[in-house]
Amino acid sequence: MRHYEGVRVLVVEDNVRMAALLRRGLEEEGYAVDVTGDGAEGIWLGQENSYDAIVLDVMLPSADGFAVCRALRAADRWAPVIMLTARDEVSHRVRGLDAGADDYLIKPFVFAELTARLRALIRRGAHERPAVLVMADIRLDPASRRAFRGDVELQLGPKEFALLELFLRHPGEVLSRARILDHLWDFAYEANSNVVDQYVGYLRRKMDRPFGRSDLETVRGAGYRLRGSSAAADIHAD
C-alpha cells in the first residue's frame, strides 16, 4: 500500500456506488478524501478548501463537471482536475480541457490507472492555466477557437487546433504519439497509427513553414515537442 498522508483529494461523483469505491480505494492509498455528489457543492468545496487534486465526474446534478471546472478556475483555484466521463467523443474531451481540466479518463476504467494519473498530476502541482495560451510568438484562444503566429491568424482545422493547444499546454515537453492519440482521438486508433504524424505534418505546414520556423520538432524514438524560439518560453495570460 502506498501512503500519501497529507495529500487531500476531492471526489465529485453522483453515482453512490462509484463514489464509495473511489473513497475507499483512495483512502487505502493514504489520501484524505472529501466526497460530494452535487456539482454546486463541488464548486463550494473546491473554493473553500485547498486540494492537491480533484476527481470530477462530468454528469452531475445542479452543475455539470464542465461548469464546476470553469467556476473553480474563474475563482483562481488551480488544483489539478481529472475528469471522468462515460462518453469518449473527442469533442467531449476537448470541451473538458477547454474548461480547465488537466486530464480525462473514460468510464469504465481501471482504478490503478486513475491512481497513476493522480500521482502524475500531484507531482506537477497546482499552477495557473490561463484562458489564452502564449508561447513565444504563438497565441491561442480556446474560447474563440482562434490561433495566431505573430499578427497572422492561423487557419487551422479542429484537429490541428486541438493538437496545437495540447502542445501549448505542455510547453517544451515531449509528447508521445500514444499520449497525443489518447487526448485527441478515440480508441479506434491504435498506438502505432500514423494519424499523429500526419496531423503534426499538417500543423507544421501552417504554423512553421510559412514563417521559416521549425519549432514543432520530432524527438526520435520519443514523440514531438513544441519549443519556443527563445531559450525560456512560457505560457502566460495575454
Side-chain angles (χ1 to χ4, degrees):
M1 181 178 69
R2 293 180 179 272
H3 295 280
Y4 292 92
E5 288 83 357
V7 178
R8 194 174 183 187
V9 176
L10 172 63
V11 174
V12 189
E13 167 64 67
D14 68 327
N15 182 291
V16 175
R17 182 172 180 274
M18 174 68 74
L21 289 172
L22 290 173
R23 180 197 286 274
R24 184 177 66 192
L26 292 172
E27 287 181 343
E28 287 177 354
E29 293 277 329
Y31 295 100
V33 184
D34 292 336
V35 176
T36 180
D38 181 78
E41 186 174 1
I43 294 172
W44 182 82
L45 286 169
Q47 292 177 345
E48 292 296 314
N49 301 289
S50 180
Y51 292 102
D52 296 284
I54 298 172
V55 179
L56 177 62
D57 189 31
V58 170
M59 301 304 294
L60 295 166
S62 73
D64 65 21
F66 304 123
V68 172
C69 198
R70 284 194 298 269
L72 293 177
R73 298 314 187 217
D76 292 329
R77 308 302 284 180
W78 300 103
V81 171
I82 181 167
M83 298 193 83
L84 307 179
T85 181
R87 297 175 59 182
D88 64 357
E89 295 96 331
V90 171
S91 60
H92 208 62
R93 280 177 274 169
V94 170
R95 186 180 173 193
L97 294 171
D98 284 348
D102 299 86
D103 202 356
Y104 234 95
L105 197 55
I106 308 299
K107 296 178 179 179
F109 55 85
V110 177
F111 183 73
E113 182 179 4
L114 172 65
T115 55
R117 293 186 182 223
L118 271 178
R119 289 193 296 271
L121 290 176
I122 290 168
R123 283 196 300 270
R124 277 167 32 195
H127 57 89
E128 185 172 349
R129 287 168 293 281
V132 176
L133 307 178
V134 179
M135 184 176 186
D137 62 341
I138 302 170
R139 187 173 78 258
L140 181 145
D141 183 350
S144 68
R145 312 300 295 176
R146 301 178 71 188
F148 297 82
R149 176 138 229 174
D151 295 328
V152 178
E153 183 166 3
L154 304 177
Q155 302 302 317
L156 304 179
K159 283 290 193 298
E160 296 159 354
F161 187 94
L163 182 59
L164 177 57
E165 181 178 355
L166 181 62
F167 280 116
L168 287 172
R169 291 189 183 278
H170 301 275
E173 183 178 339
V174 177
L175 302 182
S176 68
R177 290 172 177 83
R179 185 174 178 184
I180 295 170
L181 273 173
D182 183 55
H183 277 276
L184 300 182
W185 279 272
D186 62 38
F187 295 112
Y189 289 96
E190 297 181 357
N192 60 358
S193 171
N194 67 351
V195 67
V196 171
D197 306 313
Q198 292 174 346
Y199 274 87
V200 167
Y202 298 155
L203 184 57
R204 280 174 171 155
R205 286 198 287 271
K206 294 182 178 182
M207 183 191 76
D208 273 352
R209 292 179 187 171
F211 303 90
R213 306 286 275 277
S214 56
D215 292 333
L216 184 49
E217 62 180 6
T218 301
V219 180
R220 189 175 300 276
Y224 297 99
R225 172 172 56 204
L226 180 62
R227 56 181 176 83
S229 56
S230 59
D234 299 305
I235 287 184
H236 55 82
D238 187 28

